[in-house]
């Protein structure tokens, strides 16, 4: 439940991979979208507005090491943000904590860029830049006396996150 000032009273965080990434191109594949819809529907039915999802890499597309196919697809991003209502970045208060949900695939995009279609890479880079700005802005707004908990799906993003001066400035406040 939430109070008027957007303070979370209770929270259930889902940390990604809600789909069976059947085509390795994320939820742009209809079968993967159906599995994500079922999973998210059940989580939202059980937890209501206390449920806060974090985007996983399989929602966006994950290169198959066995078939050398698949990868990031903007159609999956658009479906995640539009149809499924994912917030690529979110910031909530829970008691004395600031909870921040990040999209690790965007943060680590330099690693995954070869998996994206060449014609889609400029938009992915722009989405990453927007994501980093949202993170910087949110961290700058966190009071010095609050603890911070980061939620991100894939630890591959952590070195990229650490490159951000705003993150390093808040390191003493990072609880988890």
């Amino acid at each position: 439940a939430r109070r008027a000032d957007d303070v979370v009273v209770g929270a259930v965080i889902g940390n990604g991979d809600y789909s069976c990434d059947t085509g390795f191109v994320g939820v742009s594949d209809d079968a993967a979208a159906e599995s994500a819809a079922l999973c998210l529907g059940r989580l939202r039915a059980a937890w209501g507005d206390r449920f806060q999802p974090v985007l996983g890499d399989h929602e966006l597309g994950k290169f198959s090491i066995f078939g050398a196919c698949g990868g990031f697809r903007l159609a999956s991003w658009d479906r995640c943000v539009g149809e499924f209502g994912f917030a690529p970045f979110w910031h909530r208060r829970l008691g004395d904590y600031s909870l921040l949900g990040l999209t690790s695939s965007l943060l680590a995009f330099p690693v995954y860029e070869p998996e994206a279609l060449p014609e889609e890479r400029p938009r992915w880079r722009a989405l990453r830049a927007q994501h980093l700005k949202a993170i910087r802005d949110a961290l700058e707004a966190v009071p010095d006396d609050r603890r911070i908990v980061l939620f991100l799906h894939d630890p591959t993003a952590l070195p990229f996150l650490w490159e951000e001066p705003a993150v390093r400035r808040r390191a003493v406040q990072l609880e988890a």
Side-chain angles (χ1 to χ4, degrees):
R2 299 182 199 281
R3 295 191 311 226
D5 58 357
D6 201 32
V7 174
V8 177
V9 177
V12 175
I13 311 298
N15 211 19
D17 287 354
Y18 309 96
S19 73
C20 298
D21 189 9
T22 51
F24 304 105
V25 291
V27 296
S28 64
D29 174 68
D30 288 335
E34 182 179 350
S35 68
L38 287 169
C39 182
L40 289 165
R42 289 180 180 166
L43 288 165
R44 287 176 172 144
W47 300 104
D49 68 351
R50 290 182 294 164
F51 175 66
Q52 184 66 58
V54 173
L55 253 167
D57 49 6
H58 286 277
E59 281 74 58
L60 299 177
K62 182 86 173 175
F63 194 72
S64 168
I65 59 172
F66 300 109
C69 62
F72 278 32
R73 295 297 184 271
L74 283 171
S76 291
W77 172 267
D78 292 337
R79 197 173 222 179
C80 281
V81 173
E83 182 178 331
F84 292 122
F86 280 98
F89 172 80
W90 50 263
H91 177 198
R92 301 287 184 260
R93 288 179 44 205
L94 178 62
D96 294 333
Y97 291 87
S98 285
L99 311 179
L100 281 74
L102 317 173
T103 300
S104 57
S105 298
L106 282 181
L107 292 169
F109 184 68
V111 171
Y112 301 116
E113 188 166 350
E115 299 179 19
L117 298 173
E119 63 273 16
E120 293 185 354
R121 291 176 188 163
R123 182 162 170 227
W124 282 114
R125 287 186 210 110
L127 288 167
R128 181 177 189 269
Q130 291 170 0
H131 194 56
L132 286 167
K133 182 181 181 331
I135 293 166
R136 279 187 225 109
D137 291 348
L139 286 171
E140 293 299 331
V142 172
D144 292 340
D145 63 343
R146 296 186 67 75
R147 305 298 293 163
I148 299 169
V149 179
L150 302 176
F151 292 91
L152 64 158
H153 176 75
D154 186 345
T156 305
L158 291 173
F160 296 97
L161 191 59
W162 189 248
E163 290 176 2
E164 289 298 311
V167 172
R168 290 195 305 275
R169 274 194 302 280
R170 298 291 184 182
V172 297
Q173 293 174 256
L174 292 175
E175 182 82 15

